[in-house]
Amino acid sequence: MSFFGSSTHTLDDLFVHGLKTVYYAERQIAETLPKMAAMATNRDLRAGFEQHLTETENQRVRLEQVFRQHGVEAAETTCPAIDGIIKAAKATASDIDDKHVLDAALTFSAQMVEHYEIAQYGTLIAWARELGREDCAALLAETLAEEKATDDKLTQIAEARINRTAETQTA
Ligand SMILES: [Fe+2]
């Protein structure tokens, strides 16, 4: 049995497969972010989700540009990894009543998504360079920078929440 399907033979095939996977993932993320924003109580967290939705939509367009530059048609391949992360996020959120705990869970789930994307884009950039596609690597690097910035923002939000909790407990 072949994990990537019988049409994946070369690094180029693998690169295209990766592009299709992340193109699918970005759509799933774009569909999930409004639901996460609606569930968030913390203003910064909600605003962060809304801002990242706009970025995610642009990232889909940027991927279409990468497909075009590489001479292949933009298409999606189902990614069980992102499906699993989103499924787990939904299951956890549906079990939580306390809004502050829910914010903590949403922040965690969003960071799971970002780490998945950082791994995807980091690898795609390396493969693009290996294939001599600096043009594709440059575009993918723009997205990677956005994913890393989002992850950093989520860390700041999580730390601010922990500090607030600590202040409440010592007051
Ligand atoms: Fe993204």
Side-chain angles (χ1 to χ4, degrees), residues 22 26 29 52 55-56 59 113-114 117 121 143 146-147:
V22 83
E26 294 291 12
I29 295 162
H52 197 52
E55 279 176 347
T56 301
Q59 290 168 356
V113 170
E114 290 314 315
E117 290 186 290
Y121 283 106
T143 298
E146 289 171 359
E147 308 296 13

Side-chain angles (χ1 to χ4, degrees), residues 29-51:
I29 295 162
E31 285 172 14
T32 306
L33 279 168
K35 294 172 196 159
M36 292 175 81
M39 276 191 275
T41 302
N42 179 287
R43 224 179 332 133
D44 293 338
L45 187 59
R46 201 180 327 122
F49 288 149
E50 283 162 1
Q51 189 201 325

Side-chain angles (χ1 to χ4, degrees), residues 149-166:
T150 301
D151 184 46
D152 287 346
K153 210 181 298 165
L154 287 163
T155 298
Q156 282 165 20
I157 289 169
E159 282 172 357
R161 190 183 53 74
I162 291 162
N163 290 339
R164 267 198 310 277
T165 309

Side-chain angles (χ1 to χ4, degrees), residues 1 3-4 19 25 59 68 73 109 114-115 133 136 145 160:
M1 195 190 102
F3 182 71
F4 293 108
L19 289 178
Q59 290 168 356
R68 221 171 12 248
E73 210 175 313
S109 297
E114 290 314 315
H115 288 213
R133 298 310 308 243
C136 297

